[in-house]
Every structure is written in structure tokens, then in C-alpha cells.
Amino acid sequence: MNVVRRRRVLSGGLTLAVAAGAAAAAPKGVAAAAPRGDDAPRQNTTATATAAEHDLRLRLRLRAILHRLTTVDGVPGALVETRNRSGSAVLTSGVANVKSHAPMRRDSRFRIGSMTKPFVATVVLQLVGEHRIALDAPVERYLPGVIRGHGNDGRIITVRQLLQHTSGVPDILDHLTPQDVLKDPLAHHDTRDLVKTALAHPPTFEPGTGWRYSSTNYLLAGLLIERVTGHPYGEEIHRRIITPLGLHETYVPGDDPTIPGPHPRGYARPGENAPLMDITAINPSVAGAAGSMISSGTDLNRFLDALVRGKLLRPAQLRQMMTTRPTGNPDGRAYGLGLESRPLPCGGLYWGHSGDILGYGTVGGATVDGRQATVMVNLDPGGTDAQDADMKAAVQTALCEGAPRARARGGAPRARGAHHPHSAEAPGQDWGRLP
């Protein structure tokens, strides 16, 4: 039995009881390969045989993780998409719809929650490279009078501190309850109103003296992009990232509550032993630049690959993005500018982000030598600790096993900062997550 974990949408706790799910589904065009006790010993006589066996082992390990997610972890459906220099693969398990029992589709789109943050940070850093924004300038220079009151002061908070969650700005997720959203899930939420709600409370620490995840930072970053460019942050993401990379399954939806194209239903569990609640249709303006986007495994892998391999940012700005500080998390996680690093069990680092929003949870990661993996589940909030662990395990397994050589290298080393008493014990709150 898994330990039940409290999870949140906005600031309210929701719980999940372990439930039985559907069995893992074999990916299209690939027959399920069950291990047999009488298999002859494998002899790698050719490079082709070695690669094929390696690929089979990876698929079997990933299928086992997906099966755990959709059975003992209680998730309706799950998907993992992996990509490296030799190709890509998609595996699914469970169902996209608990009423019709339709299987999870390999070409699914889904809400990505705070995986929106690397897109937003990339646009800000592109503007830094164009000398339109200075990373260490006070936010007040670009958003005069916006960060004021109750001890919050944009004159002493820098752009860098917004992107790295070292600003001390209070988190909107501490001050907006799930009931506020779920009683009218299609309601529009103005970004400035959300920021005012957060800033009606004192900062969590003096700017630059600690680390604490706060989605308010990225609501402000969205306003910053709009002020500097004259266009909404979504238009700039589309023009600067989505179009150049050909991300045909990625959207900044604004107020549109629908998910274009094939997608699973999104579910939450509003209480222990409670039935699943279908929350697929929400107005994503409640998340804004902190978590509103829609994408797919294919597109997220392509984006992360382009980002960490220097195709979206100039070298100086990519170095800034990948200069991290500790978060205080025991798993070694460190946070840069909208991008976090984690150690791989096979050695080295990978770069990525996680995202939780009503109905969906996502984790994505990439290495600088060309390996990517994204995993998605259609339950959030209401998951367990085991669900989180298995999602992370799926990404790490894909990245480690996706490299036939002995050791996977994750890329640029972390720039370690001193641990500070204000550093959180966990990465902080997301749109569907409690530390």
C-alpha cells in the first residue's frame, strides 16, 4: 500500500486513495515482449543485436514503471516518450477516459503546468541577449509600481531573482483556494489581480537571501515580457520558440478551456476514497505565464533538446540559465533560471522541469548529448508519493538506458551556492503539488 500524499491545486489539499488501474498497453507497432524463463542466453555477436537487446530492455523497464503508475499508484493513464540520436519511442498504459475505457493515445496533447516556466524564462533570456532586459536590473525598471506593499518592493528585486525563485515574493498558490477555481472553472483570472492577491502578503524572505518556489515570480515575468515587447507573453513564445522549432502540438491557450487535438481526460480526486472528478475543461488563465501551456511528449522533448543544446539562447544567456543554486531538496535538485538540474543515477546531470495543473502531471528532462524523456499522467491533484517517484524514475530510466555507453553525461556542472536557512526542503509548490 502506498503512503497517501497530500497534493494541492492552488492552496487546498486533496488526497488520493490507491486505486486499481488498467494494464499497460503495448506501443503501436511493437508487440508486448514478456520475459521467458527458458530464453536462450543472449550473445551479442553484432552491433545490431546489441542495440536491439538494449532497446528491448529499456522498453520492458519503462513498461513496468508505467504499469505501476496505472495500477498500484492509482493513475488512470500514463505516457512516456523518449528520444535520442537513434530515434524516438512512445509507450502508454491505462486509459484516457475512465467512462469509455479508451486507451491512452500515443499522440496525446495535455496541459503541462509549470513546464511553461522554461518557455517563459527562455523568452526573457532572449530579450537579455538582445539588450532589452538586464538580468540584474530591478524589476521596478520594467514594471514600475507593480511590486509594492506589505514589505514587497520591486526596487530591490531583480529580474534574475524572479526567474530563479530567489525574490522572496509570496506565492499565489498559498492564497487562492481550489474551491475558488473549481466552483467556476471557466472563469477568467486577470494576471494583475492574481499578483495583487499574492502581494497582499509579506515576502517569505529578503530578496536574494533564500530560495522558495513561487509561481508569482512567473506571473510577473509574463507581465515583464508584455511591457518590454508590447505583446502578450504567449505571442512572444509562439514567435520565438513554437514557430522556429515547428512545435505543432504546443499552444499558449489564453482563456480557451479546450485542449486541441487528441487528448486524455484530466482527473482529480477530491478526497480519500472519493470518485475521480473530470476537470479537463478549465480556463488556463488561472495559471497564466506560470503554468497555462499545452503540449505533447514529442514537442516537449524537441523543446528541451533545443534549449539545453544552445539552439534557442546565445552562449552567455544559456550559461546564466544553467547556473544553479541548491533548493535544499535531498535528491540534489538545483534551480537555474526557469530550468532545474538533477543528478542521474548513472552519472552526470539532466536538465528539465516538472509541471502540475488541474488534471495532469508532467515531468521532462534532457541531457546535452541529445537524450530526452517526458512522462505524463492524467491525474492531478490526488496522487501519491509513489506516483511522483515513479514519474521521476521513468525519466531517469529513459535517460540512463537511452545511452548505450557506460556513463551518461548530463552536461554543464552546477554552480553550487551556499545553502541558506530560507531554502525550502522541497522545490516548492506547483499548480497541483504540495512539497
Side-chain angles (χ1 to χ4, degrees):
M1 181 70 70
N2 291 317
V3 177
V4 174
R5 179 185 181 178
R6 291 182 71 237
R7 316 250 308 172
R8 84 152 71 206
V9 174
L10 310 179
S11 65
L14 296 173
T15 56
L16 169 68
V18 174
K28 183 178 179 181
V30 179
R36 293 175 50 194
D38 60 348
D39 280 348
R42 291 173 291 188
Q43 297 183 4
N44 297 333
T45 57
T46 67
T48 300
T50 300
E53 290 186 356
H54 183 274
D55 183 64
L56 177 59
R57 287 196 301 271
L58 172 59
R59 287 173 180 267
L60 289 174
R61 289 177 182 177
L62 288 175
R63 286 182 191 171
I65 295 171
L66 292 184
H67 184 71
R68 284 202 307 270
L69 280 165
T70 56
T71 54
V72 295
D73 294 351
V75 172
L79 172 151
V80 62
E81 182 155 350
T82 66
R83 181 172 176 260
N84 55 39
R85 292 177 180 177
S86 62
S88 62
V90 186
L91 291 90
T92 66
S93 182
V95 299
N97 186 317
V98 297
K99 290 184 177 179
S100 69
H101 302 288
M104 181 70 72
R105 289 183 53 152
R106 300 171 69 244
D107 57 352
S108 293
R109 292 91 183 267
F110 43 87
R111 302 191 192 280
I112 65 172
S114 279
M115 284 196 76
T116 301
K117 289 181 172 72
F119 287 85
V120 172
T122 298
V123 171
V124 173
L125 287 167
Q126 286 182 350
L127 292 168
V128 170
E130 296 164 10
H131 306 290
R132 300 171 71 182
I133 292 176
L135 263 181
D136 294 309
V139 179
E140 182 79 6
R141 177 185 298 179
Y142 308 102
L143 298 174
V146 173
I147 306 178
R148 291 292 178 87
H150 300 88
N152 301 288
D153 190 346
R155 294 170 295 186
I156 60 172
I157 295 171
T158 67
V159 174
R160 183 192 303 274
Q161 289 166 351
L162 290 184
L163 298 184
Q164 197 158 33
H165 299 296
T166 56
S167 69
V169 169
D171 190 356
I172 181 59
L173 303 191
D174 287 332
H175 308 293
L176 190 64
T177 70
Q179 291 79 9
D180 293 331
V181 179
L182 294 177
K183 69 184 179 184
D184 190 2
L186 301 182
H188 170 77
H189 292 263
D190 183 78
T191 294
R192 289 182 178 269
D193 289 341
L194 292 172
V195 168
K196 288 179 182 177
T197 297
L199 297 181
H201 304 272
T204 54
F205 51 79
E206 289 295 318
T209 66
W211 186 92
R212 188 172 187 269
Y213 193 95
S214 171
S215 283
T216 311
N217 287 317
Y218 277 77
L219 296 176
L220 289 163
L223 293 176
L224 174 64
I225 291 169
E226 182 172 357
R227 176 61 67 91
V228 170
T229 66
H231 306 121
Y233 77 92
E235 289 185 13
E236 291 296 315
I237 288 174
H238 196 278
R239 182 174 71 85
R240 294 169 174 269
I241 301 174
I242 293 174
T243 297
L245 294 183
L247 305 182
H248 302 299
E249 298 164 355
T250 300
Y251 311 90
V252 184
D255 283 286
D256 190 345
T258 64
I259 301 176
H263 61 274
R265 308 299 296 178
Y267 298 97
R269 193 179 293 278
E272 189 170 356
N273 299 319
L276 292 175
M277 176 189 299
D278 188 325
I279 50 175
T280 308
I282 63 167
N283 186 323
S285 65
V286 71
S292 70
M293 288 178 65
I294 293 166
S295 192
S296 66
T298 299
D299 278 6
L300 287 175
N301 285 346
R302 184 176 295 133
F303 164 68
L304 288 173
D305 181 55
L307 180 59
V308 304
R309 296 174 72 189
K311 297 178 181 179
L312 289 171
L313 293 174
R314 298 174 183 180
Q317 280 69 58
L318 184 59
R319 282 194 299 271
Q320 297 285 352
M321 177 177 257
M322 299 175 85
T323 298
T324 63
R325 62 152 295 145
T327 64
N329 194 284
D331 68 0
R333 187 181 320 174
Y335 206 92
L337 305 184
L339 192 67
E340 56 183 29
S341 70
R342 295 176 186 243
L344 279 168
C346 55
L349 300 174
Y350 70 100
W351 300 89
H353 214 282
S354 60
D356 296 270
I357 191 168
L358 284 161
Y360 305 91
T362 308
V363 178
T367 64
V368 296
D369 63 358
R371 290 168 284 139
Q372 310 96 49
T374 295
V375 62
M376 179 274 296
V377 298
N378 60 338
L379 175 67
D380 203 287
T384 62
D385 288 329
Q387 173 186 321
D388 288 345
D390 281 334
M391 291 177 71
K392 183 173 74 173
V395 170
Q396 293 183 343
T397 296
L399 295 178
C400 280
E401 297 298 327
R405 295 182 180 86
R407 182 181 176 89
R409 292 183 175 87
R414 291 176 297 184
R416 296 181 178 273
H419 181 77
H420 191 277
H422 288 298
S423 292
E425 287 301 315
Q429 289 141 203
D430 206 340
W431 291 95
R433 185 179 296 272
L434 262 183

